[in-house]
Amino acid sequence: MLLTLGLDSQFVMLETVVTAIWEEFSLYTKKWKHSKFGILCIISVVMFILALPMTTRGGMYVFMLLDWYAAGYSVMVISFFELIVVGYLYGPNRLLGDIEFMLDRRVPFKFVWMVMWIAVCPVILIFILVITALYQTDVSFGKYSYPKYSIIIGWMVGMLSIIPIPLYAIFYLLKEKGTILERLQKGIRPSPSWGPAVEPYASQYRSKMRNQHDVALVYTNQAMQYTAPCLQTPVWAESAVD
């Protein structure tokens, strides 16, 4: 079970990094469109080299240090921000629509997924973060107590994956034009160019989003036509003004 669990986790994490790099650079040059396998090989070699120190006699001490700090707070904090983005900014309905687009079939139990993303999972993560902060202790391995400098290194490694979130937010607010509120409103909205980077999926996704926008516009116009009479000035009021 541990072997299959580890392999499944590696597949997902590695594919996420490879696909993100491949699609990002494919937008700027056509040379990257057929180089996904090369990117996979480069990242695999780099990860292999970085993992070599953990195979030495002191590797277990390095592993415990990274596991203690890098796999604790950072994962929960990033997961919490992801839930906020999905549940309150991007929208669970749009995410479910994206999943249905990729799977080419309807997602069952949509209401359950929405409740989990909006309420249940954020509350659970906050509870775990609070409990972890209250009962947090310095890393140790058996009877060995790590020196202070190694604990500082562990915290620095753990924060490396969290720091880019506020840094990019500050960079975006400084880069954009307009008032702070206008920049913030633009930053929390999905980009118009968001979607698959590879054809024909990119065109299909844009067509799907346009159709959804047209349907929403029709419903909005119908609602405005329905409520318009109650907002009009009564005839007796117009005659009184005359």
Side-chain angles (χ1 to χ4, degrees):
M1 184 185 74
L2 291 176
L3 178 61
T4 56
L5 178 62
L7 288 175
D8 292 343
S9 302
Q10 287 299 316
F11 275 121
V12 173
M13 290 186 289
L14 191 60
E15 183 66 23
T16 301
V17 176
V18 172
T19 303
I21 296 175
W22 174 58
E23 291 189 350
E24 181 67 24
F25 285 97
S26 296
L27 297 175
Y28 303 104
T29 175
K30 296 181 179 180
K31 297 180 180 179
W32 287 83
K33 290 188 176 181
H34 304 287
S35 57
K36 187 174 183 179
F37 180 74
I39 299 173
L40 175 63
C41 293
I42 293 173
I43 294 178
S44 298
V45 171
V46 171
M47 294 296 180
F48 174 78
I49 295 174
L50 292 176
L52 283 179
M54 299 187 192
T55 63
T56 62
R57 291 184 177 181
M60 192 61 192
Y61 295 92
V62 179
F63 173 79
M64 284 296 300
L65 182 67
L66 297 177
D67 182 68
W68 197 276
Y69 294 104
Y73 279 105
S74 58
V75 174
M76 289 186 288
V77 171
I78 293 173
S79 299
F80 177 76
F81 279 111
E82 288 178 348
L83 287 170
I84 296 301
V85 171
V86 169
Y88 297 93
L89 300 181
Y90 189 75
N93 284 323
R94 182 165 180 175
L95 179 62
L96 288 169
D98 293 346
I99 295 174
E100 290 179 344
F101 176 80
M102 290 184 285
L103 298 178
D104 196 22
R105 59 185 175 87
R106 296 186 63 83
V107 176
F109 308 110
K110 285 186 177 182
F111 179 75
V112 176
W113 290 110
M114 294 174 64
V115 172
M116 295 295 291
W117 291 334
I118 294 174
V120 178
C121 291
V123 172
I124 292 176
L125 280 177
I126 292 175
F127 176 78
I128 296 175
L129 278 170
V130 172
I131 296 299
T132 304
L134 292 176
Y135 295 95
Q136 177 70 29
T137 58
D138 292 338
V139 58
S140 61
F141 181 57
K143 297 182 180 180
Y144 178 77
S145 297
Y146 284 72
K148 292 295 182 182
Y149 73 88
S150 63
I151 295 175
I152 295 174
I153 293 175
W155 278 110
M156 291 174 62
V157 173
M159 294 296 108
L160 282 177
S161 56
I162 299 177
I163 291 176
I165 299 176
L167 285 182
Y168 182 78
I170 296 172
F171 168 76
Y172 181 87
L173 293 176
L174 295 176
K175 177 176 67 73
E176 293 296 322
K177 298 180 180 179
T179 63
I180 296 296
L181 183 59
E182 292 174 346
R183 300 177 193 178
L184 185 61
Q185 289 177 343
K186 183 180 179 181
I188 62 177
R189 292 173 182 170
S191 172
S193 60
W194 168 256
V198 182
E199 294 292 348
Y201 308 112
S203 300
Q204 294 174 0
Y205 185 82
R206 286 193 294 267
S207 176
K208 167 181 167 290
M209 297 305 297
R210 280 196 299 268
N211 293 336
Q212 290 182 352
H213 175 73
D214 294 341
V215 171
L217 189 62
V218 169
Y219 278 115
T220 303
N221 292 335
Q222 290 178 351
M224 293 178 62
Q225 293 174 3
Y226 177 76
T227 57
C230 66
L231 299 177
Q232 294 176 356
T233 306
V235 177
W236 61 268
E238 291 180 353
S239 58
V241 173
D242 295 337

